Amino acid sequence: MDNPLLGEHALPPFVQIRPEHVEPAVRELLERNRARIEQLAALEAPTFATLIEPLEELQHGLTRAWSPVSHLNAVVNSEALRAGYNACLPLLSAYQTDLAQSEPLFRAYRTIAERDAAELGPVERRLIEHAVRDFRLAGVGLPAERKRRFKTVMQELTQLQAKFEENVLDATNAWSWHVTDPDELRGLNAMLIELAARRARERGVSGWLLSLDQPTYVAVVTDAQARPLRRAFYEAWTTRASDRGPGAGRWDNSAVMEEILRRRHEAARLLDFGNYAEYALATRMARTVPEVIAFLHELARAARGAAQAEFAELEAFAGGELAAWDVGFYAEKLQRERYAVSQEELRPYFPLPRVLAGLFGVAERLFGVRIRERAGVPAWHADVRYFEIEAPSGAPLGGFYLDAYARPHKRSGAWMDECVGRKRLASGAALPVAYLVCNFLPPADGRPALLTHDDVVTLFHEFGHGLHHLMTRVDYPSLAGINGVSWDAVELPSQFLENYAWNPQVLGQISGHHESGAPLPAPMQSRLIATRSFHAGLAMMRQLEFALFDFRMHAEYSAERGGRVLEILAEVRREVAVVPVPEWNRFPHSFGHIFAGGYAAGYYSYKWAEVLAADAFAAFEETGVFDPGTAQRFLDAILSRGGSRDALEAFVEFRGRGPDVRALLRQHGILPAGGLAA
Ligand SMILES: [Zn+2]
């Protein structure tokens, strides 16, 4: 069989790929790669050219074959495709684990590093440094017994994290709220009420059944006028999978959390780190535990006053003391009253063609690139468009697919992903190609697609990731584009570009009423911009509470005292909480980001990356947001460098100093604009 996934193509042959191609192609590729790796690992005197370049090539080829499969699985899902995709996951994971834990390869990289360091360039040295670090973090190089224990602990962690998630899911699904009096539904939107009526009919009960999924929870606590309803939802939501609330004790994660923390601590100790937070920082831009704690405290000190003033104002607006389940409701009311601008009213001003032209215009003005659509490139759906990007010299830089609209069988959300990674190796070269995926409302009734401003910001964000991938000048796939970039710095280009979607100059260019062509009227524009700092202090303190709790818990674990989950939470709250929280609130028990997901000792990264992005953008504000010199320095120091250099050094090269939190505080109105006093 001619398998399109195994052929050599500049762009994936999407039209020819069938679900039945997936598993045979992956099996064959992995077999070929394994045989080649075995040869490479047995080399007598390996060098960068004879060992590392071929390994980079193998990884590039594998990603290139697998990327269209995982992409199709996400955007045109079908049962057959999902089956093929799922069949490959364990094969790929076993392959990656074997590669990551290969003692012979580890020894070969170290040999090259020690013997050839003087002849290698900085990028090559960095690549080896990264590889050796990752081998160590995977337990390679440990004495046999510790290595065995490390593997066991990691496997147990996978199971415990899955258990945590299951408990949250079961507790969430088990709870619902039955409404028989329509008065109780006042304030909720018609779609939600219709859904609740349908659920009630399906269950054979009268009235309405509200479930505890996230959209319903958020809608109830922000829109429901009935206070008891808001309280019931708040209690059910914040006590899920815990010892409190309506499902108390049935899916209690308390012991699971303790076990997870104990295993993480043990894994970190086996690798000679003091604790799990130190282990997590080994691959991050932030260097030390005290540095992260000081960073979070600095933001908390700066934002506390603003948050307290916002809360006092909100209580005055509501005319009385507010409980936790009132805050979202009155905040929404206040925001509506004060700014009188809704996302729906903004839609007619942001037709997608206009926004895209404006967005490309921003990239063209900043970096001198040209972006043009190439018609007739086969893709996975008729709505998908393909664009090419050229350097100022006219040299091609790469290309990207844009899949903009929501449709059935497409995963929700928005993301940028690698289709082809850049490489320039002895064995051949490739230019980067990206997927930009969004879920905007499609065009209808002869109108173009109309975006909310939230959508516009999302598009700028993903395009920022896209530029990071497409404008890289790094030759080695493992360090090109977003690859190998410290995880707490990878959102810098995307959040940086978001700033342009709020800039008055740019708003004039990306807006144009789909009927009259008129740009967003000035009063609407200033109200829109003002919403950016609404309750920024409260939002900041809430994020800091999560981040401090997560980080301290992983840094302070001790064998004698255990995780102290609720104690640490209470200490953090005494320090940063502005909105009163009831004693029975158990939000850690459903905090999947850190207990089940990849954000363990990493929640601080949200704020960390925001600070980098705001401070980078402030450099542009100081010189003019389209200043070519500043843009060139940003491109040279950060955007084009991928993971080929340390993220902090890159930032310092661009800014002339380390990151400063004040730009973010000014951006959100927490510090006065332009105030540079120390
Ligand atoms: Zn992002």
Side-chain angles (χ1 to χ4, degrees):
M1 153 172 93
D2 249 359
N3 195 319
L5 290 168
L6 291 170
E8 300 250 338
H9 309 274
L11 291 171
F14 287 109
V15 184
Q16 295 153 37
I17 300 172
R18 298 272 166 274
E20 60 270 25
H21 294 135
V22 172
E23 197 181 334
V26 168
R27 282 190 186 275
E28 184 169 337
L29 263 177
L30 292 181
E31 202 173 310
R32 271 194 232 161
N33 278 15
R34 280 181 189 278
R36 182 82 178 103
I37 290 167
E38 206 168 310
Q39 287 174 355
L40 293 170
L43 284 175
E44 281 287 322
T47 64
F48 194 92
T50 61
L51 178 91
I52 297 176
E53 278 215 25
L55 283 172
E56 289 279 314
E57 180 68 60
L58 288 182
Q59 192 59 30
H60 173 88
L62 182 59
T63 313
R64 204 163 167 167
W66 179 245
S67 152
V69 175
S70 66
H71 178 69
L72 290 173
N73 186 58
V75 295
V76 281
N77 195 278
S78 69
E79 242 171 77
L81 187 59
R82 190 188 305 181
Y85 173 84
N86 285 339
C88 293
L89 288 182
L91 306 174
L92 286 161
S93 132
Y95 170 82
Q96 298 294 6
T97 308
D98 288 348
L99 202 58
Q101 299 188 337
S102 162
E103 296 280 351
L105 289 180
F106 174 57
R107 280 195 301 275
Y109 273 82
R110 280 177 59 192
T111 306
I112 298 167
E114 281 156 24
R115 193 193 52 210
D116 302 339
E119 294 123 62
L120 294 170
V123 176
E124 288 76 14
R125 281 206 302 272
R126 170 104 178 148
L127 192 157
I128 300 177
E129 226 172 79
H130 260 208
V132 169
R133 175 198 74 188
D134 292 343
F135 278 123
R136 287 218 166 92
L137 293 176
V140 182
L142 289 179
E145 196 158 316
R146 277 169 89 179
K147 189 173 177 177
R148 243 193 327 272
R149 181 66 195 150
F150 182 79
K151 273 192 175 172
T152 310
V153 169
M154 293 314 266
Q155 277 160 5
E156 288 171 354
L157 260 178
T158 310
Q159 285 160 5
L160 285 163
Q161 292 177 178
K163 183 71 194 158
F164 181 93
E165 200 76 311
E166 276 170 33
N167 280 340
V168 175
L169 203 64
D170 290 348
T172 308
N173 289 336
W175 193 86
S176 59
W177 186 260
H178 187 202
V179 176
T180 49
D181 177 3
D183 207 41
E184 211 180 342
L185 299 169
R186 269 183 307 132
L188 295 178
N189 71 65
M191 248 159 44
L192 193 77
I193 294 175
E194 169 50 37
L195 185 68
R198 198 178 343 134
R199 289 215 173 104
R201 280 197 301 277
E202 283 164 9
R203 290 267 210 97
V205 294
S206 62
W208 301 265
L209 209 56
L210 292 164
S211 54
L212 194 60
D213 54 274
Q214 186 170 17
T216 305
Y217 166 70
V218 172
V220 167
V221 293
T222 39
D223 298 335
Q225 290 181 21
R227 196 170 190 235
L229 183 66
R230 294 202 305 269
R231 189 196 187 282
F233 264 79
Y234 177 88
E235 186 186 359
W237 181 260
T238 61
T239 57
R240 284 175 302 156
S242 79
D243 58 327
R244 305 299 290 269
R250 281 191 65 193
W251 299 275
D252 191 354
N253 265 333
S254 304
V256 182
M257 289 150 70
E258 199 59 39
E259 289 298 307
I260 288 173
L261 292 172
R262 187 162 74 81
R263 298 294 192 301
R264 284 182 184 158
H265 187 74
E266 186 182 350
R269 297 289 298 135
L270 283 166
L271 297 175
D272 288 326
F273 290 99
N275 53 61
Y276 188 82
E278 282 180 12
Y279 163 79
L281 291 183
T283 55
R284 307 259 175 88
M285 175 176 171
R287 298 280 202 270
T288 66
V289 168
E291 182 187 1
V292 173
I293 299 281
F295 166 78
L296 295 171
H297 280 162
E298 186 181 5
L299 285 176
R301 260 198 314 279
R304 169 185 294 283
Q308 283 168 336
E310 286 160 10
F311 189 61
E313 183 202 49
L314 191 65
E315 289 202 314
F317 172 76
E321 263 181 37
L322 295 178
W325 45 91
D326 299 323
V327 174
F329 177 74
Y330 285 102
E332 173 75 13
K333 253 181 140 172
L334 176 62
Q335 185 175 17
R336 247 190 322 230
E337 204 175 286
R338 178 170 302 167
Y339 301 112
V341 56
S342 78
Q343 289 290 333
E344 290 307 316
E345 284 168 76
L346 293 167
R347 270 191 203 276
Y349 291 96
F350 294 116
L352 181 63
R354 175 90 192 187
V355 176
L356 267 187
L359 169 63
F360 296 166
V362 168
E364 292 174 9
R365 268 184 88 180
L366 282 171
F367 305 116
V369 294
R370 287 194 57 185
I371 298 170
R372 269 186 304 211
E373 182 160 10
R374 195 172 112 200
V377 175
W380 52 93
H381 191 275
D383 289 342
V384 177
R385 298 163 68 187
Y386 187 81
F387 297 86
E388 286 175 331
I389 176 165
E390 271 177 10
S393 66
L397 288 173
F400 59 93
Y401 297 91
L402 176 68
D403 184 352
Y405 310 129
R407 61 172 178 267
H409 311 293
K410 176 173 168 182
R411 189 197 297 157
S412 60
W415 66 91
M416 187 289 293
D417 202 0
E418 171 179 316
C419 174
V420 179
R422 180 185 145 92
K423 66 164 180 175
R424 215 179 59 187
L425 304 170
S427 50
L431 289 177
V433 178
Y435 307 112
L436 296 187
V437 185
C438 299
N439 268 286
F440 302 145
L441 286 183
D445 308 328
R447 285 191 277 93
L450 301 176
L451 311 193
T452 65
H453 187 259
D454 285 345
D455 293 339
V456 172
V457 173
T458 299
L459 184 64
F460 274 66
H461 179 103
E462 300 310 335
F463 193 70
H465 283 307
L467 287 177
H468 202 185
H469 180 62
L470 296 168
M471 300 203 58
T472 194
R473 296 180 195 140
V474 180
D475 297 337
Y476 304 108
S478 67
L479 296 178
I482 60 171
N483 296 325
V485 178
S486 293
W487 186 65
D488 48 1
V490 80
E491 295 291 333
L492 164 54
S494 52
Q495 295 188 349
F496 163 78
L497 209 69
E498 280 183 29
N499 287 291
Y500 286 88
W502 294 96
N503 182 272
Q505 263 188 69
V506 176
L507 277 169
Q509 279 158 19
I510 59 174
S511 66
H513 196 284
H514 72 100
E515 281 163 349
S516 66
L520 190 64
M524 274 175 98
Q525 181 174 303
S526 34
R527 284 201 304 267
L528 169 66
I529 294 174
T531 58
R532 201 180 186 192
S533 47
F534 179 71
H535 280 188
L538 284 170
M540 173 89 74
M541 294 309 270
R542 200 175 139 77
Q543 290 291 309
L544 292 172
E545 179 182 326
F546 296 163
L548 271 169
F549 165 66
D550 161 48
F551 206 74
R552 279 191 52 189
M553 195 171 57
H554 286 103
E556 294 174 24
Y557 185 94
S558 77
E560 303 76 46
R561 299 203 293 170
R564 297 173 60 239
V565 174
L566 292 178
E567 281 169 72
I568 290 180
L569 180 64
E571 288 170 23
V572 168
R573 278 189 177 149
R574 273 197 293 280
E575 192 192 335
V576 297
V578 173
V579 175
V581 183
E583 179 279 323
W584 42 259
N585 173 303
R586 290 285 185 273
F587 99 88
H589 292 68
S590 58
F591 199 3
H593 269 75
I594 61 165
F595 284 106
Y599 276 81
Y603 204 85
Y604 78 90
S605 304
Y606 285 111
K607 282 284 158 269
W608 188 270
E610 275 175 38
V611 163
L612 299 179
D615 199 17
F617 187 67
F620 284 81
E621 290 176 314
E622 288 156 18
T623 54
V625 293
F626 288 107
D627 179 63
T630 312
Q632 189 64 43
R633 282 191 297 113
F634 185 68
L635 177 63
D636 291 343
I638 295 174
L639 201 57
S640 66
R641 302 296 283 268
S644 72
R645 68 183 308 195
D646 178 77
L648 179 62
E649 282 169 24
F651 190 89
V652 170
E653 181 189 318
F654 169 64
R655 206 62 175 101
R657 55 160 174 75
D660 185 331
V661 302
R662 285 174 297 177
L664 180 68
L665 297 167
R666 281 196 297 272
Q667 187 179 85
H668 287 288
I670 293 169
L671 284 183
L676 273 169

